[in-house]
Amino acid sequence: MTGDDAILRLRGVVKRFGDATAVDGVDLDIHRGELFALLGASGCGKTTLLRLLAGFETPDSGRIEIDGADMAALPPYLRPVNMMFQSYALFPHMSVERNVAYGLAQERRPKGEIATRVAEALDLVEMGAFAARRPDQLSGGQRQRVALARAIIKRPLVLLLDEPLAALDRKLRERTRLELVELQRRLGITFVMVTHDQDEAMAMATRIAVMDRGRLVQCGAPAAVYERPADRFVADFIGSANILEARLVSRDGSGATFRCDRWGGDVRVAHPGAAAADAPAWLVLRPERIAVDRAGAGGANSARGTVRDIAYLGDQSILHVALDSGTVVQASYANVGPAAAVGLARGDAVSLSWMPDTAVVVTS
């Protein structure tokens, strides 16, 4: 995709509330047909940014374009977007059918057109059989589908979703993720989703924008953000990571040597990035990339330690290991085969190691 594919374009967007800057100079292109996720902790500015796109807030400076048109002078009801709220905001006294039809009825569309489009929207979300029910007669997942049908019936260019799965229990949330992704593909509408749930963003989005204190810290495909975090904040926020301070000792044709006292000595790293001898650096080690063995010779970049805690999670086990250096690191391994059920126990001596090409070096 290129900038020419952008259906949403933000340039230098700033929004303040008194002395607090909620959105701080955001530049962003969102492409046609994307399922794009704005990801971050509470208070990072992601919901404010969504409300700016919807027209519920006005930027203090900057420009927002949708399909090449400047949105500055357009109120929410004239923008080619629709928004699905976290609470779903369904009218409790109306039937499912009337809830979905509400937007078209407000536009005074012909009754025949409304009936046809309501039926199509309900069929898309597999809720046609529930058209006569009221919201209080539906499950949480069914209410979510009705809210989605109401949001798509006006055929917006962009659909904005504010924590769309937050009200669902875990198993229903996991199943609904796949349904929502498939529906987005069939509709071809650009979805912009706000979430604080990194698993949700990773599983659903074509691209993720990680926000912190009103700024976009990193934007990219889920795998790229996970495998190549831009800094310590992203590394820590996306997934689990051991982040160890280190100092560049030397470079050569196959990588670099770092002094990492928290690991216990010198280590080899294949991709040192922008690390410099006179600047701070940190090694990002994902738990699943650390090999765990009974105490022995170990492999590349090995260190000895003792299992302090272990959590069996069915498909994997999570270990907290106290290294001889005093650092506690997290490692994980897949529970594959009958031998995995025995695993390790608290107090066991182990050797941890990792290959030089698995560490990511960040400098901020």
Side-chain angles (χ1 to χ4, degrees), residues 194-217:
V194 155
T195 181
H196 67 277
D197 187 325
Q198 57 178 277
D199 290 339
E200 191 171 289
M202 295 283 285
M204 295 175 63
T206 51
R207 284 194 303 150
I208 295 170
V210 182
M211 295 190 68
D212 181 37
R213 291 172 291 183
R215 293 181 175 271
L216 290 188
V217 184

Side-chain angles (χ1 to χ4, degrees), residues 12 15 42 114 142 174 184 197 202 220 246 251 265 288 363:
K15 179 62 182 178
S42 296
I114 293 175
Q142 289 169 335
E174 290 175 354
Q184 188 267 341
D197 187 325
M202 295 283 285
R251 286 178 180 264
E288 70 274 14
T363 55

Side-chain angles (χ1 to χ4, degrees), residues 51-57 66 71-83 85 102-104 106-107 109 154-157 160:
R51 290 176 61 83
L52 287 165
L53 297 177
F56 300 139
E57 303 287 353
I66 300 178
M71 294 291 109
L74 288 182
Y77 62 88
L78 290 180
R79 298 190 179 197
V81 303
N82 215 337
M83 189 163 180
F85 296 94
Y102 183 79
L104 297 182
Q106 290 296 106
E107 294 178 353
R109 296 295 182 95
K154 293 182 70 174
R155 299 169 183 167
L157 292 178
L160 309 174

Side-chain angles (χ1 to χ4, degrees), residues 77-256:
Y77 62 88
L78 290 180
R79 298 190 179 197
V81 303
N82 215 337
M83 189 163 180
M84 180 175 154
F85 296 94
Q86 181 177 343
S87 64
Y88 304 150
L90 299 176
F91 298 111
H93 62 288
M94 291 185 181
S95 67
V96 165
E97 185 176 43
R98 289 182 61 204
N99 264 285
V100 175
Y102 183 79
L104 297 182
Q106 290 296 106
E107 294 178 353
R108 300 186 183 279
R109 296 295 182 95
K111 289 184 178 179
E113 178 189 347
I114 293 175
T116 299
R117 288 172 62 174
V118 167
E120 290 173 351
L122 289 177
D123 284 345
L124 270 174
V125 298
E126 299 179 350
M127 287 295 293
F130 300 87
R133 294 193 184 183
R134 294 190 310 274
D136 63 358
Q137 297 172 311
L138 304 175
S139 69
Q142 289 169 335
R143 287 195 293 273
Q144 193 252 12
R145 292 184 182 196
V146 174
L148 185 59
R150 187 177 64 180
I152 64 176
I153 195 170
K154 293 182 70 174
R155 299 169 183 167
L157 292 178
V158 180
L159 181 60
L160 309 174
L161 303 100
D162 183 12
E163 302 277 5
L165 308 181
L168 307 180
D169 62 62
R170 180 180 176 182
K171 284 192 174 293
L172 182 56
R173 191 163 62 241
E174 290 175 354
R175 186 171 73 245
T176 307
R177 286 177 191 168
L178 300 177
E179 294 175 353
L180 196 57
V181 169
E182 178 57 30
L183 180 61
Q184 188 267 341
R185 286 173 180 164
R186 280 191 281 142
L187 291 171
I189 296 174
T190 302
F191 281 20
V192 180
M193 175 179 73
V194 155
T195 181
H196 67 277
D197 187 325
Q198 57 178 277
D199 290 339
E200 191 171 289
M202 295 283 285
M204 295 175 63
T206 51
R207 284 194 303 150
I208 295 170
V210 182
M211 295 190 68
D212 181 37
R213 291 172 291 183
R215 293 181 175 271
L216 290 188
V217 184
Q218 186 171 358
C219 182
V225 175
Y226 182 83
E227 300 289 351
R228 298 184 295 279
D231 58 18
R232 285 176 291 161
F233 173 81
V234 177
D236 187 52
F237 190 79
I238 301 291
S240 299
N242 301 288
I243 303 175
L244 308 178
E245 189 171 3
R247 178 176 58 83
L248 179 67
V249 175
S250 63
R251 286 178 180 264
D252 55 46
S254 61

Side-chain angles (χ1 to χ4, degrees), residues 11 29 43 87 111 115 131 182 222 245 273-274 276 279 286 289 299 304 340:
R11 292 293 181 268
D29 285 352
S87 64
K111 289 184 178 179
E182 178 57 30
E245 189 171 3
R286 297 293 186 186
R289 305 292 167 79
R304 294 172 181 262

